[in-house]
Amino acid sequence: MDVHEAMRLADRVYPNMGVYGAAQNDLAWIFGLDFKTAEAHPSEVGLPQIAVDKQDGSIHQLTPGTDVFWHYMTPDTEEMSLPAL
């Protein structure tokens, strides 16, 4: 799975939101989401962050402090520029 496929999955799961931040590691593409109608990003506290698993395309909500969060937010996670779709 490449980053473009992962972003399309995020768009399908959150149709009223868009990807406004991205990171990656060996396990997943990680996206910060915000409302498409927002004029500034991030527009609110507590907006969703998700991980799209690079192996199987599964989507995981990243809630700080949970096992899922720590599984996907590894020390080698690096911010990345958003690719054009």
Side-chain angles (χ1 to χ4, degrees), residues 10-72:
D11 283 341
R12 276 188 247 140
V13 173
Y14 292 91
N16 296 327
M17 301 186 107
V19 173
Y20 290 96
Q24 71 164 324
N25 56 41
D26 290 341
L27 298 174
W29 305 103
I30 297 167
F31 300 121
L33 305 170
D34 200 351
F35 298 101
K36 291 179 180 178
T37 57
E39 294 181 21
H41 306 288
S43 63
E44 297 182 25
V45 174
L47 291 166
Q49 266 193 337
I50 62 168
V52 179
D53 191 288
K54 287 182 175 180
Q55 294 300 311
D56 64 13
S58 59
I59 295 177
H60 305 272
Q61 182 76 35
L62 298 179
T63 303
T66 63
D67 289 343
V68 171
F69 179 87
W70 291 118
H71 176 75
Y72 286 105

